[in-house]
Amino acid sequence: QAIFEQVSEDNSNVTFEAIEETLEQLPENPITLNHTSWDELRQIPFLSDEQINEIILYVSRNPLHELFELQLIPRLKTYDIRNLLPFVYVGEAKATKQKMTFKDVLKYSKHDLIARADARNLESYKEDDPFYANFRYKYNLRNQVSFGFQYRRNVGEDWKKGLYGGYLQINDVWKLKRIVAGNFQASFGQGLVLSNTFHYGKANYFHSCQSNDEGLKKFGAVGDYDNFHGIGTTLRLGSLDVSAFYSNKKDKMMHQTGGANLTYRFNSWKVGATAVYTLHDGWFAPSRKYYYNQRYFRGEEQGVVGANFYANLHRCILFGEAAAAQNKKQWGYAGIVGSRFSFVSDITLLALYRYYSPYFDNVLGYSFCESSRLGDENGFYLGSEIKSLRKWKFMVYVDGFRFAYPKYGIRDYPTYGYDVMTQADFYVKYGMNMFLKLRSRLKGDQFTESVRYQFNYKVLGWRFRTQFDANWIHNKKNSPVTYGLSALQDVDYHFSAVPIVLQARLQFFDVMNWDNRIYNYENDVLYAFSIPATYGYGGRWYLNARYQICKWCSVYLRGSQTIYADKWMKEKKVERYKTDLHLLVRFSI
């Protein structure tokens, strides 16, 4: 929830299914702490590199007998351990390397079949078809073999013209670390050359400066996502990993992409090189009528190359990448370098500098930046996380940046800006915590200040969440100040006598302008992502229900509605009500 809300504020053009699928699968296949590895623990997004180091070092000297012993690891606070518990266990490692019989395959196989149907924005569809449908099947065998298939039919589409997709992933076969086929994603280094996986926001960058270096992995969604369709493999030769892939994907035109990566590891150091070549079946040319995309890539083919490094020096981590991308008849250059210091165990400092030249435009890459697209940015980021007090956690960052040419929403150039955020979390006791977040941004002529307060309380089967949001915007041209206000209350209840979970929300909002929009994460059915951008004047509610019919069958049901009370909604002939219904049935064996 916290990750998704932060990412939505920084960049709304992200795909959430990848991180959702990872976090949903980890509790089903928890990590054995006494026999874990760096790569395994890196899947948990809220663990920092320093915390992973401490866990591996501790269990190598003192194998755990109970999870309560995690409190003896210095860098793990009580709230870190509570977050970690669903994903780990103490026990014997599963013997995944031994020869498996047919009986073992049947015993350890997991099947997941999901059928979902939505009725969206019912008031806007008088005669049209408002129904959305999604069917998916997943198979997993001890995380060594997994494959899946998905069909998606969007609102108003012909059922015969729905979107199909599938994937296959095989891990640790002979010297092959991984094989992927069908829909997959790829990410190496800091993402300047290649990264079409999930991207974390600035506030989460303390724990995710290595999140872009995930290599090749399956992708279960279908549709207009930044994923590949083809085949790829990673070969592990001692300390050297060799990855290669080919993709042939069609959206508005056909795109053929081939790439390779070499990564060499020695002790806690890692260096790598990546090259990607893309051939478009036609002239790839963003419209010139938009002032902000004059330097975007145009052409039929593009080559991108880069080199990256990572060094874990226990209390100091260094990382960086340099890349060059072909853009018309010239090359654009980009570089990012950073360091995370932790000379005191409870205080972490992160410093990062990036430079993306105006002609660097790589549609397959994404890294730390202020904009939603790499290119034409020069900035310095400084952040700190403090956990020196037992029940408190403080986080603050300052990010200054400069654009040499126009950006979306900014016509003047050059442009200077900053982004400052501070957050204080207070963990009162088990089941009770709160946080206060303040943020101030200057981008072009526009100043934005925002504040968010959240209180969470859990008792018996009840869970309560209260949240207040406020922001206001003004600019140097003395235009009227606009504001956004929101207040919401969540109530969840887990029945003890019957396997039913209910989740409800009531929200009121008064948001004057689209620029004042407020993002709030909403609980939804599995693999459905509701983070609406609230604006206008009115209220919103939703009610979720999950019923575990039996061990292998669950039913999810959701109803939500937004009610607008603005006069301007009537003037623009916008529907005052927006109602959605979601139904999902899951069979898991």
Side-chain angles (χ1 to χ4, degrees):
Q1 174 183 305
I3 292 172
F4 286 177
E5 286 187 341
Q6 179 63 43
V7 171
S8 298
E9 292 178 6
D10 291 337
N11 175 18
S12 58
N13 299 318
V14 295
T15 304
F16 295 101
E17 290 206 36
I19 187 66
E20 173 78 359
E21 189 171 16
T22 298
L23 292 179
E24 194 267 338
Q25 286 182 351
L26 274 175
E28 297 179 358
N29 302 277
I31 296 171
T32 312
L33 285 175
N34 287 333
H35 305 276
T36 188
S37 65
W38 173 274
D39 291 337
E40 275 193 324
L41 290 176
R42 198 69 198 95
Q43 299 177 69
I44 304 176
F46 49 80
L47 286 181
S48 67
D49 292 359
E50 292 86 357
Q51 289 175 319
I52 295 175
N53 286 339
E54 292 282 353
I55 292 173
I56 293 177
L57 180 63
Y58 184 88
V59 298
S60 66
R61 298 174 177 175
N62 308 282
L64 299 175
H65 299 284
E66 294 182 350
L67 286 173
F68 296 109
E69 297 178 46
L70 289 171
Q71 300 175 76
L72 301 175
I73 301 177
R75 291 184 185 272
L76 291 182
K77 299 299 180 182
T78 304
Y79 45 82
D80 295 321
I81 296 173
R82 289 171 186 161
N83 290 338
L84 186 61
L85 290 180
F87 306 104
V88 298
Y89 78 100
V90 174
E92 292 300 321
K94 297 176 181 178
T96 58
K97 297 294 184 180
Q98 67 182 10
K99 186 177 180 179
M100 297 181 63
T101 65
F102 180 73
K103 186 179 295 186
D104 292 331
V105 172
L106 295 178
K107 179 180 179 181
Y108 295 110
S109 294
K110 291 188 177 181
H111 305 267
D112 211 355
L113 177 63
I114 294 175
R116 173 183 160 200
D118 299 354
R120 298 184 174 180
N121 199 3
L122 295 176
E123 291 79 5
S124 297
Y125 292 92
K126 307 300 182 183
E127 299 178 356
D128 296 334
D129 181 358
F131 296 105
Y132 166 94
N134 190 308
F135 302 92
R136 66 167 70 193
Y137 167 76
K138 298 188 300 178
Y139 171 85
N140 186 284
L141 175 61
R142 282 182 166 178
N143 286 332
Q144 285 186 282
V145 179
S146 58
F147 62 84
F149 172 82
Q150 184 175 169
Y151 166 81
R152 193 182 84 184
R153 186 258 189 184
N154 291 321
V155 171
E157 287 184 348
D158 188 337
W159 286 86
K160 296 180 181 180
K161 297 181 179 179
L163 300 172
Y164 299 86
Y167 66 84
L168 169 67
Q169 178 170 310
I170 302 174
N171 299 325
D172 301 321
V173 176
W174 188 56
K175 293 185 178 297
L176 294 175
K177 176 184 176 183
R178 180 166 297 167
I179 303 172
V180 292
N183 292 338
F184 67 94
Q185 293 181 312
S187 184
F188 300 98
Q190 291 297 309
L192 294 184
V193 178
L194 184 61
S195 178
N196 55 11
T197 56
F198 183 87
H199 308 296
Y200 295 85
K202 292 181 181 179
N204 296 297
Y205 204 72
F206 289 99
H207 311 308
S208 62
C209 60
Q210 274 296 101
S211 63
N212 285 327
D213 194 15
E214 299 180 15
L216 305 175
K217 68 176 186 178
K218 60 183 173 62
F219 185 64
V222 294
D224 299 327
Y225 297 116
D226 294 330
N227 65 289
F228 293 124
H229 182 80
I231 188 169
T233 184
T234 298
L235 181 65
R236 174 156 288 180
L237 303 172
S239 299
L240 179 66
D241 286 357
V242 181
S243 300
F245 69 91
Y246 170 76
S247 170
N248 192 340
K249 184 179 179 181
K250 183 177 182 179
D251 40 43
K252 295 181 180 179
M253 65 173 65
M254 186 69 71
H255 311 278
Q256 297 186 68
T257 303
N261 171 268
L262 298 176
T263 298
Y264 183 72
R265 309 166 189 267
F266 50 104
N267 296 328
S268 58
W269 290 68
K270 182 169 61 175
V271 294
T274 309
V276 177
Y277 175 78
T278 302
L279 177 64
H280 305 284
D281 185 21
W283 187 262
F284 188 87
S287 175
R288 289 187 178 274
K289 70 177 182 179
Y290 299 109
Y291 62 89
Y292 53 83
N293 66 6
Q294 299 302 309
R295 288 165 181 80
Y296 284 179
F297 165 76
R298 288 177 172 81
E300 294 182 345
E301 56 183 351
Q302 183 182 35
V304 187
V305 295
N308 64 85
F309 74 93
Y310 172 85
N312 189 332
L313 307 177
H314 188 56
R315 293 191 178 275
C316 177
I317 293 175
L318 306 174
F319 58 90
E321 184 172 17
Q326 180 186 359
N327 192 343
K328 293 178 281 192
K329 295 183 179 180
Q330 57 184 318
W331 288 76
Y333 301 94
I336 182 171
V337 62
S339 177
R340 189 167 65 212
F341 303 91
S342 187
F343 296 112
V344 180
S345 61
D346 293 328
I347 300 177
T348 304
L349 180 67
L350 176 64
L352 181 145
Y353 174 76
R354 77 268 191 191
Y355 171 75
Y356 312 139
S357 68
Y359 283 95
F360 182 85
D361 183 50
N362 175 21
V363 295
L364 297 179
Y366 190 84
S367 188
F368 186 99
C369 64
E370 170 64 23
S371 305
S372 60
R373 188 163 178 163
L374 286 178
D376 185 22
E377 185 171 328
N378 189 0
F380 181 76
Y381 172 97
L382 185 64
S384 181
E385 186 178 58
I386 302 172
K387 298 181 178 181
S388 54
L389 299 178
R390 188 168 64 93
K391 294 185 177 182
W392 288 86
K393 181 174 71 172
F394 299 94
M395 183 167 56
V396 60
Y397 72 73
V398 179
D399 183 34
F401 48 85
R402 177 184 182 273
F403 306 135
Y405 292 96
K407 288 280 188 176
Y408 176 77
I410 305 174
R411 290 184 175 272
D412 299 330
Y413 63 93
T415 301
Y416 296 86
Y418 64 79
D419 183 2
V420 181
M421 192 279 289
T422 180
Q423 178 172 324
D425 293 74
F426 179 47
Y427 299 84
V428 184
K429 61 179 182 179
Y430 177 74
M432 183 184 297
N433 65 81
M434 65 184 75
F435 75 79
L436 178 66
K437 180 170 70 174
L438 307 174
R439 190 173 186 180
S440 177
R441 306 177 76 179
L442 169 64
K443 195 171 182 179
D445 292 330
Q446 182 173 282
F447 290 93
T448 304
E449 285 81 29
S450 63
V451 57
R452 167 171 290 177
Y453 170 77
Q454 185 181 116
F455 175 78
N456 299 284
Y457 180 58
K458 179 182 178 182
V459 56
L460 299 177
W462 294 90
R463 186 190 299 271
F464 302 92
R465 177 191 181 201
T466 305
Q467 182 170 301
F468 300 97
D469 290 274
N471 65 53
W472 50 96
I473 295 177
H474 59 283
N475 59 44
K476 298 177 182 178
K477 297 179 180 179
N478 297 320
S479 62
V481 176
T482 59
Y483 65 84
L485 301 172
S486 171
L488 64 86
Q489 178 65 54
D490 287 350
V491 180
D492 301 355
Y493 184 66
H494 293 232
F495 289 86
S496 57
V498 291
I500 296 178
V501 178
L502 297 179
Q503 300 171 320
R505 168 176 293 180
L506 182 61
Q507 178 184 9
F508 298 97
F509 55 86
D510 182 4
V511 181
M512 293 182 64
N513 201 308
W514 173 251
D515 289 337
N516 295 96
R517 62 192 180 276
I518 297 173
Y519 290 99
N520 290 296
Y521 176 85
E522 296 183 351
N523 293 302
D524 208 322
V525 300
L526 191 63
Y527 298 127
F529 306 95
S530 182
I531 311 179
T534 304
Y535 69 100
Y537 178 71
R540 179 169 173 80
W541 64 265
Y542 72 75
L543 176 64
N544 293 343
R546 185 174 78 240
Y547 178 44
Q548 188 83 25
I549 297 176
C550 59
K551 183 178 180 181
W552 48 269
C553 182
S554 304
V555 176
Y556 299 73
L557 181 64
R558 183 181 198 263
S560 63
Q561 186 178 61
T562 304
I563 305 171
Y564 294 101
D566 317 49
K567 292 182 179 180
W568 65 270
M569 285 286 185
K570 297 180 180 179
E571 295 172 357
K572 294 187 177 183
K573 298 181 179 180
V574 177
E575 295 289 345
R576 293 185 63 236
Y577 300 91
K578 291 184 178 180
T579 306
D580 296 329
L581 298 175
H582 297 178
L583 172 65
L584 184 145
V585 180
R586 182 185 191 186
F587 301 92
S588 183
I589 302 175

